[in-house]
Amino acid sequence: MNLQALTGTAQALVAPGKGLLAMDESTGTCNRRFAAAGIATTAEMRRAYRELLLTAPGLGACISGVILYDETIRQARADGTPFVKVAQDAGLIVGIKVDTGAQDLAGHPGEKVTEGLDGLRERLQAYAGMGARFAKWRGVIAVDGALLPTATCIEAHAHALARYAALCQEAGLVPVVEPEVLMDGGHTRQRCQEVTESVLRCVFEQLVRQGVALEATILKPNMVTAGLDCAVWDTAAEVAQATLQCLRRTVPAAVPGIAFLSGGQAGEVASHRLNEIHLGAAAPWPLSFSFARALQHPALDIWAGRDANRAAAQQALLHRARCNSAALKGQYGAAMEVP
Ligand code: 13P
């Protein structure tokens, strides 16, 4: 492992004013989103959509890197240029989702564990050979009152995330470690904070125990928010305060950056909360974004599978990227959303 090179990549991913575009939806997830938008669920439409995202003019001004999916990293622009080269030419660092998805955790109804460790060493080498410089693995943790998550579920995710991260660094890739406490359910912000703190403590314990270099690891956590069905709506200031308190209590200062997932928050809500986080007291790590839905949703709706809508869809993507970039400087406000 070349720790200096890996640390340099990690720092570049969270460069000032920049964040990650997660466009690594699995074929199943991408097809579900296409179907909801009335778009044909074919490999060619998935390719065309990913081309639209990657070729949005000037994307690199606000986006440091893109997370691709196995199908996508092997695809090319309509003129035959491989997507990896398209991304590199646009100044974007190429990343790759390497987990193979969530499966039911045996003996633990309602809980999931992430698969994909078998053969991971070889897959990481192959992706590095294709030009990937970082990877992503997501573990999802459900909250159900005081019942879930179980300690077993948290430990299983932490163990898998650390095994994945160690293999990434061995292969010369920066691991993006994503333990996601889900927003599904009626739990309060306080319960989300309690669970997120437990999860992050366990994840960092495993990362250290398995010899992962924290200096070359990016954390991709959820913001601390109430569940989607909670009767109480958190203000952005409350989310920012709880999120920063949670992270300060659990994330070592050696970590070079934290990039939040959006987790189903609407684009404007995510930008507003991100902005509020940056208005708080200085944190020991750069705090950035690694959004999929909160960056892509308006663009996907506008595109609707039609080439004629392509330029407008790209503008919608760029708008959300600019809003989130502004939020990283505490400069996002409602005025940015006025057309
Ligand atoms: P969302 O921002 O839509 O939560 O997606 C982030 C991601 O990469 C999920 O793994």
Side-chain angles (χ1 to χ4, degrees), residues 99-106 108 110-117 137-142 152-161:
D99 67 73
T100 57
Q103 300 293 337
D104 291 341
L105 179 62
H108 292 75
E111 301 201 287
K112 303 277 185 194
V113 72
T114 306
E115 297 198 338
L117 288 170
W137 178 290
R138 171 175 178 250
V140 290
I141 295 115
T152 311
C153 176
I154 293 174
E155 284 163 18
H157 279 299
H159 189 261
L161 280 163

Side-chain angles (χ1 to χ4, degrees), residues 22 24 136 138 178 220 261-263 290-293:
D24 59 324
K136 185 198 96 170
R138 171 175 178 250
E178 182 181 6
K220 176 165 173 170
L261 59 92
S262 61
S290 176
F291 294 163
R293 285 164 285 182

Side-chain angles (χ1 to χ4, degrees), residues 202-224:
C202 193
V203 165
F204 280 101
E205 185 191 325
Q206 279 296 325
L207 289 173
V208 171
R209 221 196 269 183
Q210 296 191 41
V212 175
L214 298 184
E215 293 79 2
T217 302
I218 297 288
L219 176 69
K220 176 165 173 170
N222 50 282
M223 294 182 194
V224 173

Side-chain angles (χ1 to χ4, degrees), residues 94 151 283:
V94 173

Side-chain angles (χ1 to χ4, degrees), residues 8 32 49 60 73 86 89 96 118 136 138 151 156 166 168 176 198 223 248-249 264 284 294 297 317 330:
R32 265 198 306 283
Y49 177 59
I73 199 170
V86 173
D89 289 350
I96 179 76
D118 289 352
K136 185 198 96 170
R138 171 175 178 250
C168 281
V176 173
S198 300
M223 294 182 194
R248 282 203 183 92
R249 286 175 174 176
H297 249 178
L317 170 70

Side-chain angles (χ1 to χ4, degrees), residues 210-255:
Q210 296 191 41
V212 175
L214 298 184
E215 293 79 2
T217 302
I218 297 288
L219 176 69
K220 176 165 173 170
N222 50 282
M223 294 182 194
V224 173
T225 68
L228 292 169
D229 300 329
C230 181
V232 181
W233 176 255
D234 298 323
T235 65
E238 286 169 337
V239 170
Q241 190 275 336
T243 301
L244 286 167
Q245 185 177 65
C246 170
L247 295 174
R248 282 203 183 92
R249 286 175 174 176
T250 55
V251 183
V255 170

